[in-house]
Amino acid sequence: MKRLLALIAAALMMAPTVCHADEGMWIPMLLGRNQAAMQKAGMHITAQDIYDINKASLKDAVLLFGGGCTGEFVSDEGLVLTNHHCGYSYIVKHSTVEHDYLTNGFWAMTREQEIPCPGLTVTRLVYMQDVTKEVLDGVTEGMSEGDRETIIENNIKAVSAKATEGTHYKAVIKPFYYGNQYFMYVNEVFTDVRLVGAPPSNIGKFGGDTDNWMWPRHTGDFSMFRVYVDGSNKPAAYSKDNVPYRPLKHLEISLKGVDEGDFTFVFGYPGTTRRYVTHDYVDLAANQENPVRIALRTIRLDHYNAAMRQSAAQRLKYASRVAGIANGWKKWQGESLGIERLHGVEQKMAQEEQFRQWAKDKPQYRDVLDSMEANYAQLREVSLEWTYFNEAVMASDFMQRAYRLFRIQRNSDTALVTSMRADSEKYFEDFDQHSPVDEAIFVETFLYMWEHGYAPYMNLKHSTDAEVEATLHKVYAKSILNNPKKLEKVLSMKREKMIHAIGTDPAVQIFSQAYNYCYGGDKRQRHSTANDNIQRLMRTYIKGMMEQYPDSNFFPDANLTLRVAYGHVEGFKPKDATYYTAYSTIDGIMEKENPDVYDYRVEPRLKELWQKKDYGHYATKKGELPVAFIATNHTTGGNSGSPVLNADGQLVGINFDRCWEGTMSDLLFDPAYCRNISLDIRYCLFIIDKYAGARHLVDEMTLVEQ
Ligand code: ARG
Ligand code: ASP
């Protein structure tokens, strides 16, 4: 009882079930519901200016960039702005030691110099529609989950086919509120996207992984692309005859900048949040999975970083993957800390207690949380195996390639052999036959699993770390995977013989053992059953919460669909006796400068402009050159590259990150700590114009001085 009272008291003091003022990622089509609040917060435009299907609106300028970032049109000739880290893999792909665009930057001075990026798409939302009724047509209360899924799947196919019939559009239908509602997105997907500009790494990634997820920040995190189309302004595959796209709308850019307290909104594609999960999820993520993921990624990062320090070639080789590994690694650390600081688990338990009280006499909701706990208990028994598989077993190229052989062994599809061959050729071109880095990662991640009791299959033969380690090295040395000739010999054998040969390979053997340990028996089934049940229970739980708090506006969790988040430019107090102001300037770059630290090297030309205070009309009234600012907009992964707009709907920044103290915002939003970080558009323009001398690109844009 005492515990219960303490929990309820805690709930009253801490975050309520309903949303905080600045929390939320709202659906553009339904933004009318937020309009009054947004205008009260300072917005001058209307919800219709943001999303309208009858005439061009801001949404026509906002794009899904690739598969997980946002971009925006900033000229009537299809010029797109996004983050440097969103264009990163394309910048890397076009870089060589001789033409190192990653290190030195790249600026197309003519249209001919713009570089095609095969595989890169950008997607524009044409319109969206609530299709809940159509998708749930035929679904009944008591039916099995399987039947429900089949009906929904078929309905989705039919509805999307009908919506896009006779057009070049593509439709996507996604569940909201765990399947209580469905929306359809009818999109236009552009497939000829070219690289136009990128600053050098020591501007575009200034601060590197040291500053990543942190404020104060000085990263010039932007890059530029251009969308090309056929003669009728429609998406087309790359062709040299394609012409720049003429968008329905491109964003105006405000040179006025922002001040503390100003209204801003972020318009983009947030990927995933889990705002409504129960305490078990929070505990599992923060206290069990994150620590394992972090430890295993530390192993990988140590080896890659050491290799990258050795040569320019190695730096280019590993840059892109390290950026991804390091990003998650650091975010999870911040997330776990944030959850601990907020007593996230207890907070959730307290909310659940309130729900239980409310649901006591409601048979449809009464048992949902008990069932949820029971399913989490099941999930806990197998969830770390899942984590170990992804973060340890699959950590090395060696094991990823062993997985391909393993699939060939189990599947008679000859395409797998063809792709293994092509992939290996490419692999041996890019990486050494014997890669000490990859070998070390393989050995150490398996050793880690063994030491933590997650590789019991190795216990049979060994008792000491040294023995395990020696065996792992032997596996690496003896496998055909690192011997192109032997590998080719096996891949050209007749199927039966090939399968036998693959089966005797030590890499495939250890991979199979690991696979069976993590997923074998009924483990995979248990994992997915528990997860499916939890999803289904969440559908009921969230429906219940909406009834429990009928006057609140519950935002749907992010699901990589277009959303609007709004808030204010605002500093915060990260810890006792410390206050972070809302914007950073170029002076901070020079404060951080350290020629001995890779992340803090400063371009001589940038320094020169700073010394002369040659900021053009990009400076503030005080004569400072702003670099980045923070605000209370609720954002997440996928929002990178999103336009940050002012009260008049003009571009003032490009969203690229969140502050360390608020990285738990996917699960728990705390207005005191959660801040998104945006590049000030004036710094971006300054770099293009003053630093790179690519004035022609700025001239394409629509700048508003006042
Ligand atoms: N943290 C930002 C986001 O989640 C930026 C990541 C890219 N930067 C990096 N240093 N890895 O995407
Ligand atoms: N940096 C993230 C992205 O790439 C944004 C975030 O997680 O805040 O989308």
Side-chain angles (χ1 to χ4, degrees):
M1 189 61 194
K2 214 164 140 202
R3 179 171 149 80
L4 189 67
L5 286 179
L7 283 174
I8 291 175
L12 294 177
M13 275 165 53
M14 294 190 289
T17 310
V18 294
C19 297
H20 293 286
D22 288 334
E23 182 179 7
M25 303 170 178
W26 306 99
I27 298 177
M29 185 184 116
L30 304 178
L31 209 59
R33 294 180 191 167
N34 302 86
Q35 181 174 289
M38 290 174 84
Q39 289 176 338
K40 195 164 160 238
M43 184 173 77
H44 301 150
I45 59 174
T46 64
Q48 242 184 343
D49 295 326
I50 297 173
Y51 178 90
D52 196 340
I53 49 169
N54 298 314
K55 61 178 193 348
S57 56
L58 290 175
K59 74 110 170 92
D60 293 302
V62 182
L63 303 159
L64 175 66
F65 185 89
C69 272
T70 307
E72 54 273 7
F73 284 124
V74 288
S75 90
D76 58 5
E77 294 186 88
L79 192 62
V80 173
L81 269 180
T82 186
N83 288 144
H84 185 260
H85 78 262
C86 294
Y88 203 71
S89 62
Y90 297 93
I91 305 168
V92 173
K93 217 180 267 173
H94 297 301
S95 298
T96 58
V97 174
E98 295 75 41
H99 295 281
D100 190 346
Y101 300 144
L102 185 66
T103 307
N104 306 317
F106 168 78
W107 306 96
M109 290 300 171
T110 63
R111 295 278 157 91
E112 288 68 44
Q113 290 173 0
E114 298 179 352
I115 310 177
C117 300
L120 175 59
T121 60
V122 301
T123 303
R124 178 184 76 93
L125 172 65
V126 181
Y127 68 91
M128 64 178 292
Q129 193 181 331
D130 186 339
V131 289
T132 312
K133 242 177 80 203
E134 293 85 336
V135 170
L136 294 182
D137 186 30
V139 168
T140 54
E141 268 304 315
M143 80 186 344
S144 77
E145 261 324 270
D147 289 349
R148 181 187 161 102
E149 265 170 35
T150 313
I151 293 182
I152 291 179
E153 214 174 283
N154 290 335
N155 286 346
I156 284 184
K157 271 193 205 132
V159 176
S160 351
K162 198 163 147 229
T164 51
E165 204 183 314
T167 71
H168 65 280
Y169 298 149
K170 299 206 160 67
V172 184
I173 295 181
K174 292 204 173 174
F176 285 69
Y177 305 109
Y178 294 86
N180 282 299
Q181 207 172 357
Y182 286 82
F183 282 94
M184 174 167 70
Y185 292 80
V186 175
N187 294 320
E188 189 171 37
V189 181
F190 297 92
T191 44
D192 183 355
V193 185
R194 305 185 194 173
L195 177 63
V196 173
S201 273
N202 54 16
I203 290 175
K205 203 179 169 166
F206 182 77
D209 288 318
T210 315
D211 283 9
N212 191 21
W213 296 111
M214 289 189 161
W215 184 256
R217 190 66 159 278
H218 301 87
T219 313
D221 198 342
F222 78 95
S223 59
M224 303 172 92
F225 290 80
R226 191 186 306 278
V227 173
Y228 281 78
V229 287
D230 66 14
S232 49
N233 210 31
K234 294 233 168 66
Y238 169 80
S239 153
K240 63 174 184 9
D241 300 328
N242 283 350
V243 294
Y245 173 63
R246 284 171 284 113
L248 293 172
K249 180 100 189 167
H250 68 272
L251 300 177
E252 286 183 347
I253 297 177
S254 166
L255 286 180
K256 223 169 59 184
V258 281
D259 273 324
E260 185 111 24
D262 282 356
F263 172 85
T264 56
F265 67 103
V266 174
F267 200 4
Y269 280 88
T272 311
T273 58
R274 294 197 169 83
R275 168 62 171 85
Y276 305 101
V277 287
T278 56
H279 76 276
D280 276 304
Y281 183 96
V282 177
D283 179 46
L284 203 57
N287 302 326
Q288 306 210 24
E289 290 172 355
N290 283 355
V292 173
R293 292 158 153 174
I294 293 161
L296 286 161
R297 287 198 176 197
T298 305
I299 295 177
R300 278 203 274 174
L301 287 169
D302 286 349
H303 287 289
Y304 286 136
N305 284 330
M308 284 170 79
R309 278 192 292 271
Q310 278 168 12
S311 72
Q314 303 231 65
R315 191 156 35 72
L316 281 177
K317 186 148 73 180
Y318 295 122
S320 212
R321 70 166 77 173
V322 164
I325 298 169
N327 199 41
W329 168 81
K330 195 155 177 193
K331 180 189 157 175
W332 294 322
Q333 297 178 44
E335 185 177 79
S336 288
L337 279 175
I339 287 169
E340 195 187 318
R341 186 187 54 232
L342 286 180
H343 306 289
V345 176
E346 293 77 11
Q347 210 184 106
K348 287 282 184 186
M349 285 168 99
Q351 290 168 5
E352 287 153 33
E353 193 48 44
Q354 291 180 333
F355 184 87
R356 281 180 202 275
Q357 294 298 328
W358 171 83
K360 250 192 332 222
D361 53 356
K362 301 179 181 63
Q364 71 275 40
Y365 298 124
R366 201 169 40 205
D367 304 323
V368 66
L369 286 172
D370 286 342
S371 309
M372 192 91 80
E373 281 182 11
N375 276 286
Y376 270 111
Q378 293 287 319
L379 187 65
R380 271 172 199 276
E381 288 177 15
V382 288
S383 82
L384 276 186
E385 278 89 326
W386 206 267
T387 311
Y388 274 105
F389 187 81
N390 290 326
E391 297 291 336
V393 179
M394 295 297 268
S396 59
D397 288 326
F398 185 53
M399 282 295 105
Q400 286 186 25
R401 296 176 63 237
Y403 178 45
R404 297 182 85 113
L405 287 182
F406 173 82
R407 286 182 60 209
I408 292 175
Q409 196 189 19
R410 296 189 156 196
N411 187 324
S412 61
D413 187 352
T414 52
L416 291 176
V417 177
T418 317
S419 86
M420 171 86 204
R421 205 176 251 140
D423 181 76
S424 290
E425 243 167 60
K426 175 109 194 39
Y427 181 79
F428 291 128
E429 243 171 58
D430 292 351
F431 295 90
D432 315 321
Q433 278 176 34
H434 172 217
S435 158
V437 174
D438 199 50
E439 177 172 1
I441 289 174
F442 161 65
V443 170
E444 287 176 34
T445 47
F446 269 74
L447 197 58
Y448 186 95
M449 279 193 284
W450 183 74
E451 285 168 350
H452 289 80
Y454 280 83
Y457 45 90
M458 303 200 66
N459 280 0
L460 302 173
K461 284 189 259 155
H462 309 285
S463 53
T464 69
D465 283 14
E467 280 167 344
V468 173
E469 204 176 329
T471 302
L472 291 167
H473 281 293
K474 235 183 262 162
V475 168
Y476 190 88
K478 290 206 169 139
S479 169
I480 54 172
L481 280 168
N482 294 316
N483 187 327
K485 273 206 196 105
K486 279 196 191 156
L487 178 64
E488 180 46 41
K489 199 170 141 209
V490 169
L491 291 180
S492 37
M493 287 173 178
K494 288 233 171 60
R495 180 150 180 90
E496 228 164 89
K497 246 182 112 190
M498 177 171 67
I499 290 187
H500 178 75
I502 290 177
T504 58
D505 188 80
V508 178
Q509 284 174 351
I510 200 166
F511 179 85
S512 310
Q513 286 174 322
Y515 184 91
N516 287 332
Y517 172 72
C518 292
Y519 290 153
D522 60 353
K523 278 191 189 164
R524 186 185 270 274
Q525 191 53 43
R526 279 161 63 197
H527 194 273
S528 67
T529 306
N531 255 331
D532 289 352
N533 289 341
I534 289 167
Q535 295 304 307
R536 178 174 51 80
L537 291 161
M538 281 303 295
R539 194 165 73 224
T540 310
Y541 179 45
I542 197 165
K543 191 162 167 232
M545 283 196 281
M546 287 167 155
E547 283 174 32
Q548 187 189 4
Y549 298 99
D551 298 328
S552 319
N553 202 352
F554 283 76
F555 78 92
D557 268 317
N559 57 358
L560 207 65
T561 59
L562 191 58
R563 302 292 179 93
V564 172
Y566 58 93
H568 291 94
V569 176
E570 202 178 300
F572 72 110
K573 187 179 168 211
K575 55 182 179 228
D576 187 41
T578 308
Y579 185 78
Y580 283 156
T581 54
Y583 71 96
S584 63
T585 70
I586 191 170
D587 298 345
I589 297 181
M590 305 307 155
E591 278 173 13
K592 281 181 181 170
E593 181 185 17
N594 183 347
D596 299 330
V597 177
Y598 184 80
D599 288 345
Y600 291 139
R601 289 193 198 154
V602 174
E603 272 301 295
R605 167 139 184 81
L606 189 66
K607 200 160 182 184
E608 202 181 294
L609 291 165
W610 169 73
Q611 271 156 350
K612 291 195 217 137
K613 301 277 169 283
D614 186 2
Y615 304 148
H617 58 161
Y618 306 116
T620 64
K621 282 194 208 87
K622 284 194 241 164
E624 297 169 320
L625 182 67
V627 173
F629 63 88
I630 53 175
T632 58
N633 306 295
H634 190 186
T635 54
T636 187
N639 265 127
S640 273
S642 298
V644 184
L645 302 136
N646 65 13
D648 296 310
Q650 297 160 333
L651 189 66
V652 287
I654 309 174
N655 183 74
F656 70 96
D657 210 0
R658 278 171 282 168
C659 293
W660 182 245
E661 295 77 8
T663 39
M664 68 296 173
S665 66
D666 296 348
L667 301 171
L668 293 169
F669 187 88
D670 181 345
Y673 292 100
C674 292
R675 296 290 180 274
N676 67 311
I677 308 180
S678 308
L679 175 67
D680 193 301
I681 200 67
R682 293 169 295 182
Y683 184 61
C684 168
L685 298 177
F686 162 83
I687 294 294
I688 300 170
D689 177 357
K690 288 278 180 183
Y691 168 84
R695 181 60 187 259
H696 60 287
L697 295 173
V698 177
D699 288 341
E700 266 186 55
M701 304 176 192
T702 310
L703 306 189
V704 184
E705 297 270 350
Q706 260 325 303

